[in-house]
Amino acid sequence: MDCVALVVAAGRGTRAGGDLPKQYQSIGDECVLRRTLRLFAGHPSVTAVLAVIHTDDSDLFADAARGLPKILAPVKGGASRQASVRAGLEALTPLAPETVLVHDAARPFASADLIARAIDAARRTGAAIPVLPVTDTIKQVDEDGWVTATLPRPALRQVQTPQAFTYWALRAAHTAAAADGIDDLTDDAAVMEWAGRLVSTFEGETANVKLTTAADMERARAATQPAPGGADRVPTWAELPDMRTGTGFDVHAFDAGDHVMLGGVAIPHGFGLKGHSDADVGLHALTDAVLGALADGDIGSHFPPSDPKWKGAASDQFLAYAVEKVRARGGRIAHLDLTLICEAPKIGPHRDAIRAAIARITGVPEGRISVKATTTEQLGFTGRREGIAAMASATIRLPAEDTP
Ligand code: MG
């Protein structure tokens, strides 16, 4: 039941003004694209998020996506919107999701309910788009601006994204359209219509506007101004009286290789660590500590090792996911403490880099992150240099009205 969100962010957005493409301009305390990515990355029914970006925007994208869970390596877009979506669909071939949601980066205000409705509708009908009734009268005009027809309003709809489809059907329609030299269709429903497929509709949202002009950007900035006491404001410590501690423990065995990932840092070593993901024993222990403090399962229940999707995965997304869960509960992380247990490699020279990496992944200041190391005096499996163990604790603070 996989559902991947494909976020189309390759446009230049010149009508919005400013020095940067509109999807990288900020509204509130983050850029438009980060807000859009967050909608999908934080949605329980979305398994992964793939952005299609412009070739020049790799660094801007890395900043926009930093620390968000479920984000795949971005794909470079094509010369038209249609070509960009096709590139994204082709890149999803190895994942072969059941459902794909195609969404404009410039629509950062879609709700979680809208995303759920889109997935539901696609699973029922194979192709579904969000629509709103047209309230203005719509005229057709000729090249000189003379009215040639008044269109029948009851039969007209404004169309939004996310548009939702059975993945293989949308991919097949895109491939066939491109093979026929069609490359300028403006939405994915039009590609399905061109391929002779039925497209259903579901209720869109008036708030789900597409930011296009400089005036749209100004309105969006006003709408995201954090009101004093508003939902997006970071709570003060005094407002978080419910203090909880979780612990985590993890072990990975040495394997052939030339480096180990420890706390988000690649450390050169005569061996690697064996594991389904990148085997970062430190980040795994920290992830379990944060999930433990939330009493919300463990890393294996959220990221099953049986799922091929996590093969070789960078473990920073596991920790970022757990941290986002704390934020979603209205809480903050007060302290993280990690102990790495091994005879080698030496951790001391890398301690500051590891603290900085954990700070970057979690958004927790380095003064609240401790990294320690010890050996087991050559006793036990770590003493025999068979692997590395890690233990961690996380202290989090939640609002008083959280679980009694
Ligand atoms: Mg592990």
Side-chain angles (χ1 to χ4, degrees):
M1 300 292 272
D2 280 1
C3 173
V4 174
L6 187 63
V7 174
V8 191
R12 298 285 81 190
T14 45
R15 273 183 291 170
D19 297 336
L20 290 170
K22 66 182 172 188
Q23 62 273 37
Y24 297 107
Q25 294 184 25
S26 59
I27 52 170
D29 56 359
E30 60 193 346
C31 75
V32 172
L33 178 56
R34 183 175 177 85
R35 192 178 173 100
T36 304
L37 293 171
R38 209 155 48 66
L39 300 177
F40 293 94
H43 198 282
S45 301
V46 173
T47 41
V49 183
L50 176 67
V52 186
I53 65 170
H54 190 273
T55 14
D56 297 343
D57 295 345
S58 297
D59 292 346
L60 288 169
F61 178 81
D63 279 343
R66 180 154 295 138
L68 294 178
K70 303 185 197 172
I71 309 286
L72 302 170
V75 170
K76 302 293 157 66
S80 65
R81 184 188 188 281
Q82 191 190 325
S84 291
V85 173
R86 189 170 69 248
L89 293 170
E90 283 168 6
L92 290 177
T93 308
L95 285 182
E98 180 203 4
T99 306
V100 63
L101 303 175
V102 185
H103 189 70
D104 298 325
R107 291 186 191 269
F109 299 119
S111 73
D113 274 355
L114 181 69
I115 294 169
R117 286 205 294 282
I119 296 170
D120 261 13
R123 289 190 174 147
R124 276 186 285 106
T125 68
I129 60 175
V131 297
L132 288 175
V134 171
T135 49
D136 294 330
T137 297
I138 307 281
K139 304 279 187 192
Q140 192 171 301
V141 297
D142 66 14
E143 285 165 11
D144 301 319
W146 294 96
V147 172
T148 55
T150 299
L151 300 178
R153 201 166 63 183
L156 294 174
R157 297 289 182 276
Q158 299 183 62
V159 175
Q160 306 183 324
T161 67
Q163 300 190 355
F165 307 92
T166 302
Y167 166 70
W168 69 261
L170 182 64
R171 209 198 132 154
H174 266 274
T175 304
D180 249 34
I182 311 281
D183 216 15
D184 56 357
L185 299 175
T186 52
D187 75 351
D188 296 280
V191 180
M192 291 293 262
E193 292 158 52
W194 176 87
R197 292 189 161 271
L198 286 175
V199 176
S200 67
T201 61
F202 60 95
E203 194 186 346
E205 285 174 343
T206 48
N208 180 26
V209 290
K210 184 173 184 180
L211 305 180
T212 306
T213 63
D216 293 338
M217 296 298 292
E218 277 319 305
R219 266 194 297 277
R221 286 184 187 112
T224 51
Q225 261 332 300
D232 274 352
R233 189 180 57 85
V234 176
T236 65
W237 295 116
E239 291 167 321
L240 301 171
D242 186 351
M243 197 172 322
R244 307 200 186 176
T245 302
T247 65
F249 178 73
D250 196 30
V251 171
H252 282 265
F254 283 125
D255 199 1
D258 59 7
H259 72 281
V260 292
M261 288 301 296
L262 287 179
V265 175
I267 298 177
H269 191 49
F271 298 93
L273 286 173
K274 197 189 302 190
H276 192 67
S277 66
D278 67 4
D280 191 324
V281 64
L283 294 189
H284 293 183
L286 282 167
T287 303
D288 264 352
V290 174
L291 291 173
L294 287 169
D296 188 358
D298 60 21
I299 191 170
S301 58
H302 292 279
F303 303 96
S306 56
D307 190 332
K309 183 165 60 212
W310 308 119
K311 189 165 168 46
S315 296
D316 53 357
Q317 61 189 313
F318 304 150
L319 182 55
Y321 171 87
V323 170
E324 177 61 24
K325 279 183 163 287
V326 176
R327 203 194 65 86
R329 295 256 294 258
R332 291 173 70 181
I333 293 176
H335 190 69
L336 295 170
D337 187 12
L338 172 65
T339 303
L340 295 164
I341 305 164
C342 57
E343 300 291 330
K346 285 268 164 284
I347 304 301
H350 305 285
R351 183 201 308 270
D352 289 343
I354 294 173
R355 289 177 78 205
I358 295 168
R360 175 180 58 74
I361 296 163
T362 58
V364 174
E366 280 182 51
R368 293 175 177 273
I369 297 170
S370 155
V371 173
K372 315 190 298 300
T374 185
T375 71
T376 50
E377 301 290 344
Q378 301 181 40
L379 297 171
F381 68 88
T382 56
R384 293 189 298 272
R385 300 171 183 250
E386 292 167 3
I388 299 184
M391 47 191 274
S393 74
T395 306
I396 69 171
R397 293 176 63 160
L398 294 171
E401 62 272 24
D402 201 271
T403 326

